[in-house]
Amino acid sequence: MHVEFGVLGPVAAWDETAEPLALKGPRHRAVLARLLIARRRVVPVARLVEDLWGARPPADAVGTVRTFVAGLRRALEPARAPRTPSRLLVTEGPGYALRAAPDRVDAWCFERAAASSADEPPAQAVATLTGALELWRGPAYADFAEEPWARAERSRLTELRLSTVERRAEAQLALGAAAEAVPDLDAHVAEHPWREDAWQLLALALYRSGRQADALSVLRRARRTLREQLGVEPGPRLRRTEEDILRHADHLDPGPADTAAQVWAQATAAYDSTVPSRARTRLESTAGLMRDLAVTGGGGLEAARRHRAAAVAAAEQLGDPELTARVIGAYDVPAIWTRSDDLAQADLLVGAAERTLRLLPPTAHDASRARLLATIAVESRGTPPADGGSARAHQAAHQAEQIARRVNDATLLLFALNGVFMQTFERAGLADRRDTIGAEIMTVAAHHGLFTYEVLGCLIRLQSHGAKGDFTGADRYAAAADALSERHELPLVPVFTTWYRALRTAATEPLPRAESAYREAAKTLDGSGMPGLENGLLPLALLSLQVSHGAPVVFDAHADWGPYEPWVRPLLLLSEGCDQDAVRLLRSVPSPPRDLLYEALWCLLARAAVAVGDRALMRRAHTALEPARDELAGAGSGLLTVGPVAVHLDALADALSRP
């Protein structure tokens, strides 16, 4: 179960459906808060006792802490089988650690967004910082305001929030949106009157809004407040701002930094003043904006994902299925990675699309149906076949494709083909089929000037040629994708091309150079906004590197394996000499998910099965991998490889031939 943790307000936790988890009493919450402050590091039991009770703990304090931890584990992992170790709240050495994923704690997401905005243009920075500030539900660790162990972290986060408010105002001023900055800055200085930078920004925002008298009044109020409440005179920056306003200094109102920014500011202002706030048109405009925002980078992608779900929910509440269909279908953002960034949200979107399909009137345009079907196919990527969702998604993809070809709509066809691509993982060895899809996407997109889909076609063909070991062909498509990325400002594309080049190094260069290439590639994932790609990828790549080079398995005991842990854990146990544990685990391990890493994960399982002599699993692995005999295992991901599938098949055949 995915658990979200909130500390920007009262300490809380939510399950994947956004339902709050029952964390029992204040002591349980205190333990959770203390572990979150430790940021995945171990907190010794003795330290927990000291923090909870001070210098005079009760005699059974250690046992009580263990009881609290046990209660938290039940709340955080209710489906965990009895006597199996917790994967989230772990026991390690002298204490406990909470191994929360980096994107599952609101404070960590806030910090990452605030940091990423520093290199963004003003419009994107405003969106990123606004999204970051929306994570706050109240003061940080609000229910532990008096606890000494929380004081430093509360102060740090509070200061970061205050500076984020001011940085957003600076970005709004740079964008030419001075009037929009005034209300938040006014509230900000009222609550935090000692922040001279905030007073200066408010005065500047008022001046640029044509309110010179109000700007001077604010500066006088700042002087009076600082004197009366703090006993200090305004600093040189505030004094200089007042002088500049009085003489109308040219630098105070340079206008937007460029023509594009000015057009944006004027257009958004006109939209806000013309289109009523309750107009349904705003939902459609929002959906289109989210589509464009998603390809601008990590902060934009995260914001688009969050606001998209809200827009769809708002459209459904209006009870107009045709409007809802347009809002859902407008988000035709190309998707290359087969592991969803947010499974819970994907399920919500698929559910909304299915409901809307049933509610559409017979007179609705076929294109609306096709977009809903394509959405189901794309958002259902990685759905296990056993739950029936895979068959439905496969059907939806091909229905969308048929409609798109019939209505002769190029953009719709590309969206549908994206869904078809996402559903071509029913078995191993389908690189050639995906290459055919990628070729058509490239051709149609280039003919119609749809550059984001042209990039998608390049990346699909890069993956397909990589799977066949054709690095010359893959290089060609990587270069084409990079050229399109640079020309059209698509910052997420280099994430994939950089990882592809690390994969090529892993397949052709010595192990130390390959390991260095993977570690460099991993840096591109920071702030990419793609947790479905990021979580556990570097450890998996390094393990795959060791396996493909025939090196001993050596791993970081603290590594976060993300969603890949069930299929790598047997090998890790074997490397630690825990053979019997590996045998027991292999008996119940599920088949790998049918996605871009299907063959790679089967090869890792096959290696473990051969090592312990698990003949049933060896036969399953051989059957699953045989169709991909001519491919490089995992290279179809464009990210990593565990070497030729044929080598693993031969090892399986040899082991099975022995009595």
Side-chain angles (χ1 to χ4, degrees):
M1 182 177 74
H2 293 295
V3 181
E4 303 273 353
F5 296 95
V7 299
L8 302 180
V11 174
W14 302 272
D15 64 19
E16 62 266 32
T17 66
E19 286 296 315
L21 298 179
L23 298 178
K24 297 190 175 180
R27 296 287 191 184
H28 291 78
R29 293 176 185 272
V31 171
L32 178 60
R34 184 63 186 83
L35 294 175
L36 284 166
I37 285 175
R39 291 176 171 262
R40 297 170 55 89
R41 295 187 295 272
V42 173
V43 181
V45 173
R47 182 61 183 271
L48 286 172
V49 168
E50 180 182 346
D51 286 342
L52 262 62
W53 288 284
R56 296 183 178 179
D60 61 343
V62 171
T64 303
V65 167
R66 289 175 178 153
T67 300
F68 293 155
V69 169
L72 282 172
R73 283 173 171 161
R74 285 191 295 272
L76 299 177
E77 298 179 278
R80 181 169 55 89
R83 293 183 295 281
T84 58
S86 172
R87 295 180 181 177
L88 188 54
L89 205 173
V90 302
T91 302
E92 190 170 311
Y96 303 102
L98 187 71
R99 303 295 191 200
D103 63 334
R104 299 290 175 180
V105 181
D106 58 2
W108 303 352
C109 294
F110 169 72
E111 292 178 65
R112 187 168 66 249
S116 70
S117 69
D119 299 322
E120 294 174 346
Q124 187 174 338
V126 169
T128 299
L129 295 172
T130 298
L133 290 167
E134 287 173 353
L135 296 172
W136 286 74
R137 298 169 289 113
Y141 294 92
D143 30 4
F144 301 103
E146 305 303 320
E147 298 294 342
W149 49 266
R151 191 171 298 137
E153 181 68 358
R154 277 172 46 83
S155 298
R156 188 184 68 82
L157 288 170
T158 299
E159 174 58 30
L160 185 56
R161 185 183 71 82
L162 298 180
S163 64
T164 299
V165 171
E166 292 158 13
R167 284 174 54 206
R168 180 178 63 173
E170 289 174 349
Q172 288 173 311
L173 290 172
L175 190 61
E180 287 84 344
V182 169
D184 287 339
L185 281 172
D186 204 5
H188 183 58
V189 297
E191 189 174 355
H192 310 286
W194 62 88
R195 298 187 71 85
E196 292 193 36
D197 285 352
W199 286 108
Q200 191 266 344
L201 285 168
L202 176 56
L204 187 56
L206 288 165
Y207 181 82
R208 291 187 183 178
S209 302
R211 299 167 61 183
Q212 178 185 350
D214 289 337
L216 290 170
S217 175
V218 157
L219 291 169
R220 295 188 198 101
R221 181 156 53 100
R223 184 187 301 110
R224 184 172 60 254
T225 301
L226 291 169
R227 284 174 178 170
E228 293 176 356
Q229 296 191 17
L230 300 178
V232 298
E233 291 294 328
R237 189 176 180 188
L238 271 182
R239 294 197 301 272
R240 188 165 54 249
T241 299
E242 185 172 16
E243 294 168 2
D244 289 344
I245 288 176
L246 287 169
R247 63 185 180 87
H248 300 284
D250 291 341
H251 70 84
L252 285 182
D253 194 8
D258 53 46
T259 304
Q262 188 169 7
V263 171
W264 172 267
Q266 292 171 347
T268 53
Y271 188 94
D272 280 339
S273 63
T274 305
V275 181
S277 60
R278 296 179 180 273
R280 298 185 177 195
T281 307
R282 282 187 175 252
L283 277 178
E284 292 186 67
S285 300
T286 300
L289 183 61
M290 293 307 102
R291 175 188 58 210
D292 296 337
L293 187 61
V295 298
T296 61
L301 181 57
E302 290 179 348
R305 193 181 302 126
R306 180 172 63 253
H307 295 304
R308 178 195 180 194
V312 171
E316 282 203 284
Q317 289 173 5
L318 293 173
D320 182 344
E322 293 188 81
L323 170 66
T324 304
R326 293 195 297 272
V327 170
I328 293 173
Y331 194 89
D332 54 354
V333 177
I336 184 66
W337 186 238
T338 48
R339 188 175 293 276
S340 175
D341 286 313
D342 189 330
L343 286 172
Q345 186 186 91
D347 288 343
L348 291 173
L349 291 168
V350 169
E354 292 282 21
R355 287 190 297 273
T356 306
L357 270 173
R358 291 192 294 269
L359 293 171
L360 277 179
T363 55
H365 197 283
D366 279 349
S368 294
R369 300 183 192 279
R371 286 185 172 276
L372 292 170
L373 290 164
T375 298
I376 292 168
V378 171
E379 295 296 339
S380 298
R381 56 192 186 271
T383 303
D387 69 2
S390 178
R392 169 55 180 153
H394 191 274
Q395 176 196 53
H398 289 282
Q399 287 177 339
E401 181 188 4
Q402 290 168 4
I403 295 172
R405 293 191 189 280
R406 187 173 69 246
V407 302
N408 196 27
D409 183 327
T411 305
L412 182 57
L413 176 59
L414 292 170
F415 189 18
L417 288 174
N418 198 174
V420 173
F421 162 71
M422 284 296 176
Q423 298 304 320
T424 55
F425 297 90
E426 61 263 30
R427 64 170 176 83
L430 293 176
D432 286 336
R433 183 191 298 179
R434 290 192 282 275
D435 191 49
T436 301
I437 295 170
E440 182 175 9
I441 289 175
M442 278 188 69
T443 301
V444 174
H447 182 72
H448 292 274
L450 300 168
F451 57 85
T452 56
Y453 273 102
E454 191 175 355
V455 169
L456 174 66
C458 289
L459 294 177
I460 291 174
R461 301 205 74 184
L462 177 157
Q463 293 173 340
S464 304
H465 283 255
K468 304 293 286 187
D470 175 14
F471 294 122
T472 300
D475 284 348
R476 185 167 64 253
Y477 295 116
D482 281 335
L484 287 164
S485 167
E486 184 174 355
R487 188 183 318 148
H488 299 290
E489 298 180 314
L490 302 173
L492 295 180
V493 174
V495 174
F496 294 98
T497 55
T498 301
W499 270 91
Y500 157 69
R501 293 184 177 100
L503 154 66
R504 184 187 57 192
T505 301
T508 59
E509 300 282 350
L511 192 146
R513 188 173 299 174
E515 181 176 332
S516 176
Y518 273 134
R519 293 192 184 280
E520 284 300 309
K523 295 176 183 178
T524 66
L525 293 171
D526 293 339
S528 68
M530 296 186 287
L533 177 65
E534 178 181 2
N535 291 345
L537 185 57
L538 178 59
L540 181 66
L542 297 177
L543 174 63
S544 300
L545 187 61
Q546 294 166 1
V547 171
S548 63
H549 282 255
V553 172
V554 179
F555 66 97
D556 178 1
H558 302 296
D560 179 3
W561 294 92
Y564 312 113
E565 184 171 359
W567 301 284
V568 302
R569 180 57 59 188
L571 272 183
L572 303 183
L573 289 170
L574 288 170
S575 72
E576 293 180 314
C578 304
D579 293 21
Q580 291 306 309
D581 290 337
V583 169
R584 285 192 291 271
L585 188 56
L586 285 170
R587 288 174 185 159
S588 59
V589 69
S591 296
R594 295 175 188 266
D595 60 20
L596 284 163
L597 290 172
Y598 181 66
E599 293 92 340
L601 296 178
W602 259 122
C603 287
L604 296 179
L605 281 181
R607 180 182 172 109
V610 169
V612 302
D614 187 331
R615 300 179 71 83
L617 185 55
M618 283 190 276
R619 284 190 288 270
R620 283 173 57 205
H622 195 282
T623 299
L625 289 169
E626 180 59 40
R629 175 175 286 276
D630 296 330
E631 295 184 10
L632 289 178
S637 67
L639 306 172
L640 57 84
T641 181
V642 291
V645 173
V647 171
H648 296 275
L649 285 170
D650 291 346
L652 286 167
D654 180 64
L656 287 168
S657 68
R658 295 194 296 268

